[in-house]
Amino acid sequence: IPSIGKDEVLVKVKYAGVNGGCETFRARGEHAFEANGKATASDPFGLGAEGVGTVAAIGSDVTNVEVGDPVCFVGESFAEYSKSKASMLWKLPCDEPLPEHVGLRISGLTSCAMLEQTGKIQPGEKVLITAAAGGAGHFAVQFAKLAGCVVIGTCGSARKEEVLKSLGCDHVINYKTQNVSDEIKRLAPNGLDAVLEGVGGSMLQIALDNLAEDGRLLQVGYISEYPHNSNAALESSRNELKASELFWNKETIQRGKQVIYGNAWPKDFSTVASSQDRVLGLFAEGKIKSIVDDTDEFVGLESVSNAIDHMLSGKTIGKVVVRID
């Protein structure tokens, strides 16, 4: 069990979420996680990007949570116990942490902050969400609808189409059966006002080709080019921008009146607190749904590797969650 400092909290983990980018590059010790490549048996690194649980112990300076409180946390969630800075915890307005709470801390917050703060989406705008049935995507559909936008979502199965329509997605494009570019041109003949793009590869280029004159592209990831895909190089061979460099360098590119935001988190991270309150409030009021993938079940730390493979398979809907305890 980890020891904690004065400003830290020990959390007994109940559910852990699977985040494709974090789990892939954290384990490989690449990009922002390069230091992990120098880990040793005596100085290891933790895995898992997000989780929920109950507070098991608090440091002497901690005042925002108490033992027994249900909380969301980030980092080292693939463990029975995890420690966190108290300031990084979200205290949940409920008695018990649920699997539906897992997606709020990263996926929900990311979608809210990128669309509302960085993208500044407005009523009536045409907004494309790629991988719209995924962990971040299904939240993004809901935030765009709450903003009064016309929402177009991409996905790869009939079941995902049904889920997206149930969330209020105005138009769904199945990239396996439809020509995505042709459909976008039909639905948004003057171009897309905003895009939340997490696929990379050819989808990134399609989004760029269909931006409105003053459109904004908000990059949230590039999962089709992650190392699990042996065809990653082919996916991006015709692209004008390199998705990995755009993301990890957090590049902002101006193309005339268009703006492309790599890893589109708000530059002023202090403003994200308002998005945290919004995510928790909307969920508590039942105004947004947090979908937990039910296409497979994962229980125990020994199931984590299978859960990661499942998340990267492209078959999932919502957030993949592992029950730890």
Side-chain angles (χ1 to χ4, degrees), residues 150-192:
V150 177
V151 183
I152 305 167
T154 68
C155 68
S157 75
R159 186 177 176 221
K160 291 182 180 182
E161 288 184 56
E162 292 176 5
V163 169
L164 290 175
K165 289 175 182 176
S166 75
L167 294 175
C169 196
D170 297 289
H171 307 284
V172 182
I173 303 172
N174 186 330
Y175 68 85
K176 291 186 177 179
T177 61
Q178 296 173 284
N179 183 296
V180 177
S181 187
D182 287 350
E183 288 299 305
I184 292 173
K185 286 179 170 61
R186 180 179 68 83
L187 297 168
N190 296 320
L192 298 161

Side-chain angles (χ1 to χ4, degrees), residues 8 102 146 280 286 295 299:
E8 292 180 323
V102 174
L146 286 170
L280 284 174
T295 55
V299 179

Side-chain angles (χ1 to χ4, degrees), residues 28-111:
R28 292 169 67 91
E30 295 176 351
H31 300 298
F33 308 106
E34 188 175 344
N36 289 355
K38 302 172 184 176
T40 63
S42 59
D43 185 23
F45 62 88
L47 290 173
E50 56 196 335
V52 298
T54 54
V55 174
I58 61 174
S60 57
D61 290 349
V62 174
T63 58
N64 60 321
V65 293
E66 298 177 353
V67 171
D69 283 345
V71 290
C72 285
F73 67 95
V74 291
E76 301 189 16
S77 61
F78 298 157
E80 293 174 332
Y81 288 89
S82 182
K83 68 178 180 180
S84 171
K85 293 287 186 184
S87 60
M88 294 296 292
L89 294 175
W90 286 15
K91 183 177 176 181
L92 294 169
C94 58
D95 296 326
E96 282 280 326
L98 301 172
E100 287 79 12
H101 291 130
V102 174
L104 302 177
R105 183 63 178 83
I106 291 182
S107 297
L109 180 66
T110 298
S111 297

